[in-house]
Amino acid sequence: MATTATSHRSETSKGAVGGLVTFAAVMLFIAGVLAIFRGIMGIAEDDVFVTTPNYVFKFDLTSWGWIHLTLGAVAVLVSVGLFSAAVWARVLGVGIAALLLVVSFLSIPYYPVWSITLMALYSFIIWALCVVKRDASTGRVS
């Protein structure tokens, strides 16, 4: 007589984890839209940004704008995939959030308070997407 091991996760924990991925997807979508707007501001060379003359990672403001615009658009696309709880979307979500975190760190001198705020948001998105485990028997997020 063979016995099979079953997962005894409560419905509350499954709902919380699913809600966490959904919340991360929404936050990644919003962060992507904000990165797109930040990119547009950089491309338009808006006066919102602070100029720092002696910064080690100095880029042209237009270059920063294109970087933020591109990564923001990718973040929006990946966040749409996260609503289906696809594994590829979780992996890409962690990757794009990590890239956006690094870009926000490198752009601290141009827009300090907002960059630090976004770094915290991206860190939360990475955490939320990494704590989810797949159920081996059903292939679903649990």
Side-chain angles (χ1 to χ4, degrees), residues 19-109:
L20 193 60
V21 172
T22 303
F23 185 70
V26 170
M27 288 290 102
L28 187 61
F29 181 84
I30 292 170
V33 170
L34 292 174
I36 289 171
F37 289 148
R38 189 175 184 183
I40 292 170
M41 288 188 320
I43 293 168
E45 296 185 17
D46 201 354
D47 293 332
V48 173
F49 296 98
V50 177
T51 57
T52 306
N54 296 324
Y55 182 48
V56 175
F57 303 110
K58 186 173 174 91
F59 283 100
D60 180 45
L61 189 56
T62 305
S63 300
W64 276 121
W66 282 109
I67 291 169
H68 282 285
L69 183 69
T70 304
L71 291 176
V74 172
V76 168
L77 294 174
V78 169
S79 70
V80 171
L82 282 172
F83 287 109
S84 66
V87 175
W88 66 265
R90 284 183 26 222
V91 171
L92 287 178
V94 170
I96 196 69
L99 284 173
L100 283 166
L101 190 137
V102 170
V103 167
S104 291
F105 173 75
L106 293 176
S107 64
I108 285 175

Side-chain angles (χ1 to χ4, degrees), residues 3-24:
T3 59
T4 59
T6 58
S7 175
H8 295 289
R9 291 192 128 180
S10 68
E11 291 301 317
T12 305
S13 68
K14 287 181 183 180
V17 169
L20 193 60
V21 172
T22 303
F23 185 70

